[in-house]
Amino acid sequence: MAMQATRRLASLSLQRRLLLPSQTEAPSIPTAAAAAFLHSHATSFGYRQIREEDKSKLVGNVFSSVASSYDLMNDLMSVGLHRLCKDRLISKLNPFPAMKHLDVAGGTGDVAFRVLERIKSVSHRAMQGTLTETEEDTHIYVCDINPNMLNVGKKRAAERGYSEEHCLSWIQGDAEALSFEDGSMDGYTIAFGIRNVTHIEKALSEAYRVLKRGGRFLCLELSHVDVPVFKEIYDVYSFSVIPTIGELVAGDRQSYQYLVESIRRFPNQEKFAQMIQEAGFQRVEYENLVGGVVAIHSGLKL
């Protein structure tokens, strides 16, 4: 009996040594690359986990690659629906003459042109075609981190006869660290751009900072479908059709694969609304379009 007890104790001791290494044993030393990753916060790039400091460059590469075909691809991918969604965004913004408005991640000018056209339409109806002082005070700022996207927008602006000196400015800048003064804007829009920033909460905080009291925040973004059967169809279309269109039209499958994946990683409507509230905005609400494929979130700085 004593011999059996001794063997059991020896066996348990061996198991402990196998499961719990001695405190005196030196821990394994990670490689330099692993150590650098451990000391860096991780974020997502589509479905990949990457270092935060790498995301801006990778996203920049995507939009540099797709800049020249960006609007054409939007038309093809959405069958033109992105135009109606942007029209709805402007309708909710309700622009007015003398407005100071900031459109972030809007390099191609699609949203900015709509804002200007709505303001000119309002002024025309009010003054029967005469240019008013308040219209001259209108200024729309287009801020985008990618110079290639801005170049596309400037070219389109010239084709439309918009004078940069008069009412439209193109600014290369980061949504997470805007160069505009506190309380300087009447409105802030960001369309199909906020899911690409590294820290969404920083972009929201900056939006709140630059808006005046009473200023409106509006975000148009691809979101989460809430109808089960439609969701299955949308998933097949997203992961099979969109990258293929990107490859055939833009010669870039990889960038459009990232864009599809980035949509799935973006917070759902309720979670994003909560983030907007946490940034300080009040009267936060959202409107689903096309069954949740797209959502417009809004909030007021009061």
Side-chain angles (χ1 to χ4, degrees):
M1 292 289 290
M3 181 65 72
Q4 289 176 350
T6 302
R7 286 174 180 165
R8 280 199 296 271
L9 286 171
S11 176
L12 288 170
S13 178
L14 177 60
Q15 289 174 28
R16 289 192 188 99
R17 284 199 298 272
L18 290 172
L19 294 170
L20 302 172
S22 167
Q23 292 181 350
T24 60
E25 292 177 14
S28 61
I29 307 298
T31 64
F37 191 83
L38 287 172
H39 289 286
S40 170
H41 294 289
T43 189
S44 65
F45 179 75
Y47 287 159
R48 289 166 50 196
Q49 286 296 109
I50 59 169
R51 295 181 302 180
E52 284 186 347
E53 55 267 35
D54 293 337
K55 181 163 183 175
S56 181
K57 180 181 178 182
L58 290 170
V59 171
N61 290 342
V62 166
F63 283 94
S64 292
S65 174
V66 304
S68 61
S69 58
Y70 185 74
D71 289 316
L72 172 61
M73 282 297 298
N74 279 345
D75 277 331
L76 293 173
M77 289 187 300
S78 70
V79 201
L81 286 174
H82 77 101
R83 296 175 181 271
L84 298 177
C85 293
K86 288 169 183 171
D87 289 343
R88 178 59 180 160
L89 178 75
I90 302 309
S91 178
K92 291 175 77 70
L93 176 65
N94 195 23
F96 51 88
M99 185 181 197
K100 301 294 185 292
H101 182 75
L102 174 61
D103 182 47
V104 175
T108 63
D110 237 15
V111 171
F113 300 151
R114 282 173 166 80
V115 174
L116 282 174
E117 286 160 8
R118 179 65 66 90
I119 290 172
K120 287 179 180 296
S121 173
V122 170
S123 296
H124 182 81
R125 288 197 303 270
M127 303 303 295
Q128 298 178 342
T130 60
L131 187 66
T132 69
E133 233 179 77
T134 54
E135 187 177 330
E136 289 179 336
D137 291 336
T138 298
H139 209 107
I140 311 301
Y141 300 88
V142 181
C143 178
D144 200 300
I145 199 169
N146 192 295
N148 294 300
M149 296 291 277
L150 288 169
N151 287 337
V152 171
K154 290 175 184 177
K155 181 180 178 181
R156 294 181 68 200
E159 291 169 353
R160 285 163 172 75
Y162 292 128
S163 168
E164 183 175 348
E165 292 75 23
H166 169 53
C167 59
L168 192 60
S169 293
W170 306 86
I171 311 292
Q172 186 176 353
D174 188 345
E176 297 182 27
L178 297 170
S179 59
F180 303 94
E181 295 181 0
D182 295 1
S184 56
M185 298 293 163
D186 296 297
Y188 175 113
T189 50
I190 181 167
F192 306 123
I194 203 163
R195 75 181 187 280
N196 297 306
V197 305
T198 305
H199 306 98
I200 293 174
E201 68 281 1
K202 288 185 180 179
L204 292 173
S205 176
E206 280 291 271
Y208 186 85
R209 179 184 67 78
V210 301
L211 280 169
K212 299 175 183 178
R213 294 289 172 185
R216 189 130 192 234
F217 166 86
L218 282 160
C219 175
L220 173 66
E221 188 54 87
L222 292 156
S223 198
H224 294 260
V225 176
D226 53 8
V227 181
V229 176
F230 185 32
K231 183 179 184 304
E232 292 178 16
I233 297 170
Y234 179 55
D235 282 345
V236 172
Y237 176 76
S238 297
F239 288 100
S240 299
V241 179
I242 288 178
T244 301
I245 294 174
E247 185 174 15
L248 294 173
V249 177
D252 188 347
R253 184 184 187 90
Q254 212 169 16
S255 291
Y256 285 93
Q257 182 70 33
Y258 156 72
L259 292 174
V260 170
E261 292 174 2
S262 69
I263 299 164
R264 300 309 191 275
R265 296 302 298 263
F266 189 69
N268 66 27
Q269 288 89 323
E270 291 292 339
K271 174 61 178 173
F272 187 48
Q274 182 182 341
M275 294 174 73
I276 296 169
Q277 286 180 321
E278 289 170 354
F281 289 101
Q282 297 182 44
R283 300 183 188 174
V284 175
E285 59 184 25
Y286 66 85
E287 177 184 5
N288 280 335
L289 306 175
V290 201
V293 171
V294 178
I296 299 176
H297 282 75
S298 63
L300 289 173
K301 180 178 178 177
L302 298 177

